[in-house]
Amino acid sequence: MTVVETPADTVELTEPVIHDEDGPGMSWSGRIMLMVPTLVLAVFFLGPFALMLRTSFYRRIQGGFYEPAFVLESWSRLGSDFYIDRALFSLRICLFVAAVTVMFAFPFTWFLTRMKARYQVPLLIMILAALTLSEVIVAFAWDLILGRASGISNIMVWLGLMSEPQSYTPGYWAVCIGLAYIAFPYCVLTLYPALSRIDRELTEASETLGASPLRTFFNVVVPLSRTNLVAAFLMVFVFTLGSYIIGQVLGRPEHWTLSVFISDQATYNSNVPFAAAIAMFLTAVSLAIVGVTTWLGSRQGRARQKAVAV
Amino acid sequence: MRLFRFFVISAVVIFLVGPLLVVGVASLNANQFLDFPVTEFSGKWYGALLTDPQWRASVSNSLKIAVPGAGLAVLIALPMAYALHQWRPRFSGVFMALGVLPFMLPPVISAVGALVLWNEIGRPGQIENVIIAHGVFFSTVPLITISLGLAGIDPSIQEAATTLGADGRRRFFTVTFPLLVPSIVTGYVAAFVLSLNEYIIAFMVAGFTVETLPIKIFNSLRYGFTPTIAAVSIVFTGISLGVLTMLARFGSLERLLGAGISDT
């Protein structure tokens, strides 16, 4: 579990060596300004990781409690075929959703950044509103739309395209659609800064040289944003891994992702040690992905600096 | 290309807005059960929302969490962003990572973490626990908006203040802070709206004692559809839309989201 503990270690290491390299040294008030929030985050965000790790070795006792012990019960259960299978399913469905989401969000964001503010702002408001929408509401809305009583199949019947209404939920595709819905706005906002930074002159140059807008999009815009595409894909992947409600409302238990199992174990099954073990596993996976994303970003940053230097 | 653009944008708008339209129609259906096409419209479910003490209690619980929770998020983020920007301490990347990480990891992890922490302390199920958990989890949002805001301030303005004899504190309160107000407000509002809509952390930390609105919606969903759920969803979407529209009027939404800011 070194992966998880690295941030805590590094933070403690950095504390005594804070100083400024250029300009006046950091004043006491500056140190306090930095240290108080760091301390709050350390206690309430990093601290729980240590506790979770410890709790994952505790013994669960009947009645929803747990007692200090050192048993590997939770971890061996996590390593059972069933949970390995569930973990692989979670990764697979989230990878798939992330890929589809990026495929649609990328051209959308590109068009968005090239719009006049008059059109852009309402669309941005729509994206932000969709982002803040509670997952509960999203799941409920799709449950309605895909359901038998008043969903799209009723419209199909009404139009004479189908003979009788059908229910598409719960099911695999319902979960995919729900996940894509919550992932889409997040994906757009991840891509937005990078795409809006692409210089207009580049696309104009391409079009002056005779390339069609479509060709410019694929030969100029896409290659320019390859790193951002991968980064957005990975961030969306982690984001969908965290979804809890969608799988539960729009899917059957065989469509549940790891997040659903974590909260199900922690609450309805009152097995906090096991929930902690799955949470640690999910943390390791997510941290690895976030790490790769950050590394990609910094590599791109360096490449850009080099380009500027040349 | 035009056709392609039209197709992509309308597909996205239909995909994002369509479900809410269905919910909107369902919320106006006079019938207790879903039917299609709707035979009679009525606004009575919105009225039920205002009069039912259970729904009202859940709204008030959500507000009791979101108002101080978003405040805490700003209190964590503002000094951190300012110190990192002003003094650029060594390893500032590590501090930034610590500030951004809670929000980047799946929320269920923070939820289990907070649950275990408060069990350990021996005060599970308190509303303050949710406030703190939300404050920490959403502090990333104001941290980003404030950092972007600081990056957008012309350094020569601050230098001018120093040349004119202002010390660090005075410079902060008379120059930097007023320029930062839009970023702070955006950060607060975004954290507020997100906290209002947050389910999993609130549920795991104190879900059995403090029923927030998303928890209430989910609990009612388990007992089947009621048009009240549709009505409350529409009200909430309306609140988000209203708040965001206000933000767009207040400042440049494009800039607040990071358009045109170089990454150096």
Side-chain angles (χ1 to χ4, degrees):
Chain A
M1 295 319 296
T2 44
V3 186
V4 175
E5 279 164 11
T6 315
D9 292 345
T10 1
V11 167
E12 263 155 315
L13 264 177
T14 60
E15 276 174 43
V17 287
I18 289 164
H19 65 90
D20 204 20
E21 285 163 322
D22 43 12
M26 201 166 184
S27 62
W28 274 106
S29 54
R31 281 169 200 240
I32 292 169
M33 267 193 251
L34 188 59
M35 277 308 132
V36 171
T38 307
L39 205 68
V40 173
L41 289 175
V43 169
F44 290 103
F45 176 67
L46 294 179
F49 279 107
L51 291 176
M52 264 194 281
L53 185 62
R54 206 180 63 182
T55 309
S56 69
F57 293 106
Y58 280 3
R59 185 183 296 118
R60 182 197 175 202
I61 45 179
Q62 286 308 318
F65 298 101
Y66 48 95
E67 58 180 14
F70 187 83
V71 289
L72 293 171
E73 197 188 318
S74 302
W75 287 98
S76 64
R77 192 168 167 202
L78 183 62
S80 68
D81 285 349
F82 177 74
Y83 282 100
I84 288 181
D85 194 49
R86 295 293 80 212
L88 289 176
F89 172 80
S90 300
L91 297 180
R92 224 169 34 228
I93 189 170
C94 293
L95 278 175
F96 171 69
V97 169
V100 174
T101 306
V102 171
M103 239 165 63
F104 279 91
F106 186 81
F108 175 78
T109 315
W110 169 248
F111 296 137
L112 186 69
T113 58
R114 303 295 123 170
M115 278 178 183
K116 289 195 192 91
R118 191 152 40 105
Y119 304 110
Q120 201 180 130
V121 170
L123 284 172
L124 277 174
I125 292 177
M126 177 190 81
I127 291 289
L128 285 170
L131 182 75
T132 52
L133 219 53
S134 181
E135 218 185 306
V136 180
I137 296 177
V138 174
F140 166 64
W142 281 104
D143 198 38
L144 272 188
I145 230 181
L146 297 171
R148 195 200 306 265
S150 67
I152 30 173
S153 63
N154 301 79
I155 299 172
M156 302 281 242
V157 173
W158 188 60
L159 290 172
L161 295 169
M162 266 164 71
S163 55
E164 59 180 53
Q166 228 191 326
S167 177
Y168 302 101
T169 170
Y172 178 81
W173 293 105
V175 177
C176 286
I177 291 173
L179 288 177
Y181 189 93
I182 57 164
F184 191 86
Y186 185 75
C187 188
V188 171
L189 291 187
T190 336
L191 289 167
Y192 185 81
L195 286 183
S196 60
R197 226 176 280 142
I198 290 182
D199 205 330
R200 240 164 235 285
E201 285 171 18
L202 288 173
T203 50
E204 273 164 21
S206 156
E207 276 163 43
T208 319
L209 291 169
S212 68
L214 203 64
R215 197 159 159 208
T216 305
F217 177 74
F218 283 108
N219 288 359
V220 178
V221 180
V222 174
L224 271 176
S225 351
R226 213 168 338 172
T227 324
N228 303 107
L229 266 172
V230 177
F233 169 74
L234 292 173
M235 291 321 298
V236 169
F237 177 47
V238 175
F239 189 73
T240 49
L241 270 180
S243 150
Y244 158 67
I245 309 277
I246 302 285
Q248 216 179 28
V249 174
L250 299 175
R252 297 193 186 88
E254 71 255 33
H255 307 124
W256 283 9
T257 52
L258 283 180
S259 291
V260 187
F261 281 105
I262 294 174
S263 43
D264 191 56
Q265 287 297 335
T267 53
Y268 297 110
N269 283 311
S270 305
N271 191 346
V272 177
F274 187 44
I278 318 180
M280 290 314 281
F281 173 73
L282 187 63
T283 307
V285 172
S286 315
L287 270 184
I289 301 168
V290 171
V292 170
T293 317
T294 319
W295 175 75
L296 276 172
S298 67
R299 209 179 55 157
Q300 191 196 26
R302 273 203 300 277
R304 197 171 286 168
Q305 276 172 0
K306 234 184 240 169
V308 170
V310 170
Chain B
M1 190 67 173
R2 270 215 188 129
L3 201 69
F4 181 50
R5 185 170 71 181
F6 180 75
F7 168 76
V8 169
I9 290 174
S10 31
V12 166
V13 172
I14 292 170
F15 179 63
L16 290 182
V17 178
L20 293 172
L21 287 181
V22 174
V23 174
V25 173
S27 75
L28 292 170
N29 190 345
N31 201 330
Q32 165 82 46
F33 302 101
L34 285 170
D35 52 2
F36 183 92
V38 176
T39 42
E40 196 193 340
F41 287 97
S42 151
K44 65 182 173 187
W45 306 112
Y46 289 88
L49 203 61
L50 290 173
T51 49
D52 185 325
Q54 281 195 330
W55 283 103
R56 283 176 57 163
S58 64
V59 170
S60 121
N61 277 335
S62 283
L63 288 174
K64 273 184 216 154
I65 291 168
V67 171
L72 179 62
V74 170
L75 281 181
I76 294 172
L78 179 61
M80 198 164 175
Y82 184 71
L84 288 177
H85 177 80
Q86 196 63 32
W87 290 281
R88 301 188 197 282
R90 208 183 271 184
F91 302 111
S92 51
V94 176
F95 290 99
M96 203 62 189
L98 179 66
V100 176
L101 209 54
F103 196 63
M104 275 195 170
L105 293 178
V108 71
I109 294 171
S110 287
V112 178
L115 174 77
V116 171
L117 178 73
W118 291 104
N119 278 351
E120 199 86 9
I121 294 174
R123 287 177 56 81
Q126 308 292 320
I127 193 166
E128 307 90 77
N129 306 358
V130 188
I131 296 171
I132 295 173
H134 273 188
V136 168
F137 185 72
F138 292 120
S139 63
T140 306
V141 179
L143 185 66
I144 290 175
T145 59
I146 295 171
S147 299
L148 285 172
L150 282 165
I153 294 178
D154 188 347
S156 62
I157 301 176
Q158 296 200 18
E159 275 162 31
T162 314
T163 318
L164 292 170
D167 59 4
R169 178 179 306 206
R170 186 139 179 227
R171 192 180 57 199
F172 176 77
F173 282 108
T174 56
V175 179
T176 319
F177 186 76
L179 286 171
L180 270 185
V181 167
S183 319
I184 295 173
V185 172
T186 313
Y188 180 86
V189 167
F192 172 79
V193 175
L194 285 168
S195 164
L196 219 51
N197 282 292
E198 202 281 332
Y199 174 86
I200 188 67
I201 295 177
F203 175 63
M204 282 187 44
V205 174
F208 292 113
T209 44
V210 185
E211 197 176 43
T212 65
L213 203 90
I215 297 175
K216 169 79 181 145
I217 297 177
F218 192 62
N219 288 345
S220 341
L221 264 180
R222 296 162 81 88
Y223 300 111
F225 172 83
T226 63
T228 320
I229 304 176
V232 76
S233 304
I234 292 301
V235 169
F236 255 59
T237 315
I239 293 175
S240 292
L241 271 177
V243 165
L244 292 164
T245 313
M246 253 165 53
L247 274 187
R249 296 245 160 139
F250 191 52
S252 155
L253 211 52
E254 305 99 293
R255 260 192 85 80
L256 289 172
L257 292 175
I261 288 172
S262 67
D263 44 0
T264 42

